[in-house]
Amino acid sequence: MHEIVVIGLVALQLALGYGFVYPKFAGDNQLRLLWLDVLTMVITLGVTGLLYANKNLDFSLIFFDTEWWIFTIAVGAILEVPLYLHYTRKREMKHWNKHGKIYWIEGVTESEVTRALSDTKYNRLRTRRARLVLVSLGLGSVGMMYASAFLGAYGKLSTYLEGIGLLSSLVLYFILRSSVRIVADAPDDLLDERQIAVRNRAYLLSYRTMFFPLFGLLILQMGNLEMTFFADPQVGVIDGGALFIATAMLMAALPSIFVALGDKGEDGIGLDLSAGGNRL
Amino acid sequence: MGRKPKTEEPQVLNRIEELRLAKGLSRQELADAAGVHYQTVGYLERGEYSPSLSLALRIARVLGEPIETMFWTVEENSHA
């Protein structure tokens, strides 16, 4: 029953959004549409939160049960795709707006990358030392999320650790991204040949590094340990949701981490992460 | 026959900094003219990055110097 209520709320949000709010306030501006969409989703989350937060209800997502907020976001995403495609096609939106091209796969805009590449305002974040601090704190935050998965016995401590770890790793991820001038996420069109080489090398190292956490998860699975996904932490049960989110965060951040370690900062100092040569 | 390990590849040296200063250009100006980031000019000048042929030709054109007098390898240097 509670699933139907959430689906109804999301449907109402989308009907109001695509029927009234977006045509009136976003028109054919992609970026504005995106922000309005985030705003309406936050409002829907607020309403579902008021109804279901701390009620200890499981929401069925067919394959597994989850919490109210994940269910709301998942239903929103599924219902929105056809509406979004219809909206953009009807207006012949070519994913361009006054802020420049949007690179959907990379998740960046042209102006965002161009600005980051020429920016000198945050050069204090681009020294070797600053990058090492950011990388260490970021890895520490991801470590907190991993640790929280095994601390179900400590109840609230586990929840706090996961929450603080998630929040700080998100914040640090965006600062680190800015520190490396978004090189790790930028498309070829906006980088020069050296930056493309640095980015590609970072992805190679990230791919190889991801073997270790994924192997760790495999070992856990082989151990036949009890695991839950996005449910309240319990004694002796591993929080698979926390493991999944921590691994996803690590995967997203690793390319920027390797760019931060390998590319020289504004102070001209960096590690040589190339295969022994004079270039990355 | 495979590619030589990078450690065995001779380092490419250049006169970019000397020619840039002689022309009165800043790193940023050279970078804009050659279509690269200003940090990349720093890497090139320090010999820490070997440019592609296309980039080397662009830089040579901006600095008005034949490419063969701008770039050489450490081996050539020791033979000279």
Side-chain angles (χ1 to χ4, degrees), chain A residues 90-108:
Chain A
K90 197 175 154 195
R91 282 169 175 70
E92 295 181 348
M93 288 161 70
K94 290 172 183 165
H95 310 308
W96 288 79
N97 60 24
K98 65 175 181 173
H99 297 287
K101 191 175 178 181
I102 298 177
Y103 292 87
W104 293 101
I105 302 293
E106 292 84 356
V108 294

Side-chain angles (χ1 to χ4, degrees), chain A residues 177-237:
Chain A
R177 227 169 148 247
S178 175
S179 167
V180 297
R181 299 182 183 278
I182 323 186
V183 165
D185 299 316
D188 284 8
D189 313 5
L190 305 179
L191 300 176
D192 68 30
E193 60 175 52
R194 185 192 64 83
Q195 291 166 325
I196 291 173
V198 169
R199 183 203 60 190
N200 292 353
R201 180 85 192 148
Y203 271 88
L204 175 71
L205 292 170
S206 306
Y207 182 82
R208 289 176 177 166
T209 306
M210 277 314 291
F211 166 80
F212 298 101
L214 291 175
F215 186 71
L217 292 179
L218 182 71
I219 294 285
L220 279 180
Q221 282 285 19
M222 285 164 67
N224 214 14
L225 299 167
E226 205 180 336
M227 206 181 281
T228 59
F229 278 89
F230 304 114
D232 285 337
Q234 297 160 35
V235 179
V237 178

Side-chain angles (χ1 to χ4, degrees), chain B residues 19-35:
Chain B
L19 294 167
R20 174 177 65 79
L21 292 173
K23 279 227 156 208
L25 293 173
S26 68
R27 276 186 180 169
Q28 185 67 63
E29 286 165 335
L30 174 59
D32 290 344

Side-chain angles (χ1 to χ4, degrees), chain A residues 117 192-193 263-264 278, chain B residues 37-38 40 43 48-49 52:
Chain A
L117 287 174
D192 68 30
E193 60 175 52
D263 196 32
K264 290 199 169 164
N278 65 340
Chain B
H37 193 259
Y38 72 86
T40 299
Y43 272 84
E48 291 170 350
Y49 176 71
S52 67

